Amino acid sequence: PSKPTETERCIESLLAVFQRYAGREGDNCTLSKREFLAFMNTELAAFTKNQKDPGVMDRMMKKLDLNSDGQLDFQEFLNLIGGIAVACHNTLLVNTPHP
Amino acid sequence: PSKPTETERCIESLLAVFQRYAGREGDNCTLSKREFLAFMNTELAAFTKNQKDPGVMDRMMKKLDLNSDGQLDFQEFLNLIGGIAVACHNTLLVNTPHP
């Protein structure tokens, strides 16, 4: 088969990262609160280190956990990635000079 | 600054891919139908080449376009990535032998 595209590599990468953290304890198809925190503090440390309020992570987890089962499934996890990406995207749009 | 993590690289990559296609015509912050088709046929060709029914792409675009403005914004685009990833994820789960 041909070389995967950039988009395919990202999809595979996000799946692999999710499975790496989800596999640490309990159900290996979902992120527990502890697995979510480990993911955030390792993979998105640039984002979390600027959060002075320790309640931010609690509120993020609650907001992302759409079915309120105390776990994040893969779809809920992607909403996190989407939220972070949209935040970056908006920052880039604001900071990009328009000719 | 330190080396970006795998997750950060994916977020940046997806933003860059979106902007590459969104910038082709019209509003450069959204994908038109033509830009969406160009993205699908180039970046996710492994997925689209198996679709025999030409109506599939029309229905995908309609389903993803949550606010029905005929354009996909970045958040709507991420739902596409999420849908493809979840489909891959489920396939992997089904195909992975459980010890």
Side-chain angles (χ1 to χ4, degrees), chain A residues 5-7 13 15 43 78 89, chain B residues 5-7 13 15 43 89:
Chain A
T5 65
E6 195 177 339
T7 305
S13 242
L15 278 168
E43 290 288 326
L78 283 170
H89 185 55
Chain B
T5 65
E6 195 176 341
T7 305
S13 240
L15 278 169
E43 289 288 326
H89 185 55

Side-chain angles (χ1 to χ4, degrees), chain B residues 9-67:
Chain B
R9 274 201 307 272
C10 286
I11 292 175
E12 282 169 22
S13 240
L14 290 174
L15 278 169
V17 167
F18 176 79
Q19 289 175 323
R20 193 154 71 234
Y21 287 88
R24 290 189 169 198
E25 63 177 20
D27 186 336
N28 64 8
C29 297
T30 60
L31 293 179
S32 65
K33 179 76 174 284
R34 266 166 46 176
E35 288 167 339
F36 166 71
L37 292 175
F39 166 80
M40 290 301 292
N41 290 327
T42 312
E43 289 288 326
L44 295 173
F47 174 80
T48 52
K49 73 170 185 222
N50 293 319
Q51 306 300 325
K52 306 276 181 258
D53 175 0
V56 166
M57 291 296 133
D58 284 342
R59 288 196 296 273
M60 277 186 78
M61 175 87 186
K62 278 216 182 75
K63 199 177 156 188
L64 290 165
D65 180 15
L66 296 178
N67 65 355

